Amino acid sequence: MNINFKRLSDGELETFITMRIKQLREEGATEDIDLRPALRSYYDKHMKDGTFVSWIALAGEKIVGTSGMSFVEKPPYFGCTSGRIGLLSSMYTDNDYRRRGIAKKLLSLIVEDARKYGCGTIQITASDMSSAC
């Protein structure tokens, strides 16, 4: 099946949130609150102001992979006079689509966005699941 890649838009946001929650569950998170409203609020705000970007992978109309990058700033430093940092999150590939290079392609697209934004550093927090993607 052909996989297409595109930026996340408002139209896919509910599915994206569902996949983010699925990812957190697979990583072992325990649920004691409904995280959907907080995620929706975060993505609405930060997608609008450009401090969160995401690329998704589609097999037909189905989202099969996600990525996300939040942009934050700290005081400038010698390696990056803008002080901009990218925080990688939401790297997830549907079980049926793993080991096909989807995560690798999503990562390259999101890292390119971080470069364009002027990030001097990208921070990655990997789960135990990362080797399965």
Side-chain angles (χ1 to χ4, degrees), residues 1 15-16 19 29 34 43 45 51 57 70 78 87 90 119 121 124:
M1 169 154 284
T15 303
F16 182 85
M19 293 181 77
D34 179 7
Y43 295 132
K45 176 183 178 184
T51 58
S70 298
F78 288 116
L87 305 175
S90 305
C119 292
T121 300
I124 301 170

Side-chain angles (χ1 to χ4, degrees), residues 1 5 16 19 22 29 55-56 79-80 101 105 109 112 122 130 133:
M1 169 154 284
F5 298 87
F16 182 85
M19 293 181 77
K22 183 177 180 179
W55 284 84
I56 57 174
C80 182
K105 177 66 175 177
L109 291 166
E112 183 59 29
I122 296 173
S130 62
C133 295

